[in-house]
Amino acid sequence: MKLLKLWYFTSPWLLQQLIWVPTRLILIILGRIEIKGTENLKKVPHNAIFACNHSSEMDVFLLPGSLPFFSRFSPIFYTSRERAFYKYAGWRQAFYGGVFFNVWGAYPVKVDLHDYAKSLETHESIVREGGSLCIFPEGRTTQDGNIQEGKGGVAYLSHVTGRPIVPVRLGGTFRLSPRDFFLGRCALSISFGEPIYIASKSGVIPSAQEFKAQANAVMDKIKKLPT
């Protein structure tokens, strides 16, 4: 293993397993979460790229908390913005992009390079080496509750690694306040769709426009999943 040295793989695995039970209980009791489409995960033999819509900072906990305990997809790795992005984000700058993010399994995308291979080098290595990745193709949380267009990186990763994309729809987190959550005034949901394999011609790398079109096809699949 190159990138996924013992520490880089073990630390997120341990952390995600340690918090699985309390997270699952909280999601069931307070979030009243409904988990749908788990039968579609049986169609994925190994690791996968989970593409989720993004409505809240809470979204990162829904996926690992909804998978089975000791799931073969664990640990889930994540993409994040570089730490400098949170420079003026108040308390978030001490949390996002720091040590905890790495321990959790999140690694930053290198932005403004206009080159998927360079921007997603770390995440490509993660998937190639057997790790499962959670990616939010929209690139940011929705501002109006609607699912936005996707960026092409998710299609690029599937194309170069050969791993399927599992569309995932998260519901109930948009504008959900901590107060409402802990008072149980919410109804969360997560739906897993059928795996999508990005078709490609041998030796041909699609254009950025083609990757974006494929990413938006994934977002369309997410929109059609039940909430």
Side-chain angles (χ1 to χ4, degrees):
M1 300 174 75
K2 297 178 181 178
L3 174 68
L4 300 185
K5 295 179 181 178
L6 183 61
W7 167 251
Y8 294 108
F9 181 86
T10 303
S11 57
W13 186 87
L14 285 174
L15 180 58
Q16 291 178 30
Q17 297 306 321
L18 283 172
I19 70 170
W20 187 91
V21 171
T23 299
R24 186 64 167 254
L25 289 175
I26 289 171
L27 290 176
I28 292 173
I29 296 171
L30 299 181
R32 294 182 291 157
I33 193 168
E34 187 173 0
I35 303 172
K36 309 171 185 178
T38 53
E39 67 277 5
N40 290 319
L41 298 179
K42 298 177 182 178
K43 302 174 184 178
V44 183
H46 303 296
N47 59 316
I49 301 165
F50 293 89
C52 311
N53 62 301
H54 200 11
S55 300
S56 165
E57 294 167 339
M58 182 181 177
D59 292 341
V60 297
F61 299 103
L62 262 64
L63 178 58
S66 300
L67 293 171
F69 193 42
F70 288 120
S71 167
R72 71 181 186 280
F73 298 115
S74 295
I76 297 293
F77 290 87
Y78 294 84
T79 58
S80 72
R81 297 297 295 261
E82 293 178 308
R83 192 169 192 177
F85 177 79
Y86 303 100
K87 185 176 181 180
Y88 302 105
W91 62 269
R92 293 174 179 81
Q93 63 184 305
F95 178 76
Y96 291 101
V99 174
F100 177 81
F101 245 37
N102 291 155
V103 173
W104 177 253
Y107 293 90
V109 171
K110 299 172 185 176
V111 298
D112 299 325
L113 297 181
H114 306 291
D115 186 321
Y116 290 129
K118 293 179 180 178
S119 298
L120 297 165
E121 180 181 8
T122 300
H123 305 90
E124 181 181 336
S125 296
I126 286 172
V127 178
R128 286 188 182 279
E129 294 172 25
S132 287
L133 182 69
C134 174
I135 188 169
F136 300 103
E138 295 160 288
R140 59 177 296 178
T141 55
T142 178
Q143 301 300 299
D144 59 9
N146 295 316
I147 295 177
Q148 310 297 312
E149 288 189 350
K151 298 182 183 296
V154 64
Y156 167 83
L157 285 171
S158 180
H159 173 85
V160 298
T161 63
R163 301 310 305 145
I165 298 169
V166 176
V168 182
R169 182 159 186 172
L170 308 177
T173 61
F174 180 63
R175 291 182 178 172
L176 176 63
S177 69
R179 177 183 175 84
D180 285 340
F181 177 74
F182 285 107
L183 288 177
R185 297 194 296 227
C186 60
L188 306 179
S189 65
I190 181 169
S191 296
F192 297 97
E194 294 191 0
I196 301 169
Y197 288 85
I198 299 297
S200 61
K201 297 179 181 178
S202 179
V204 178
I205 301 296
S207 66
Q209 291 78 12
E210 290 174 306
F211 281 134
K212 184 172 177 60
Q214 291 169 334
N216 281 321
V218 172
M219 299 311 296
D220 288 339
K221 292 284 187 182
I222 294 174
K223 290 177 184 178
K224 294 176 182 178
L225 292 173
T227 57

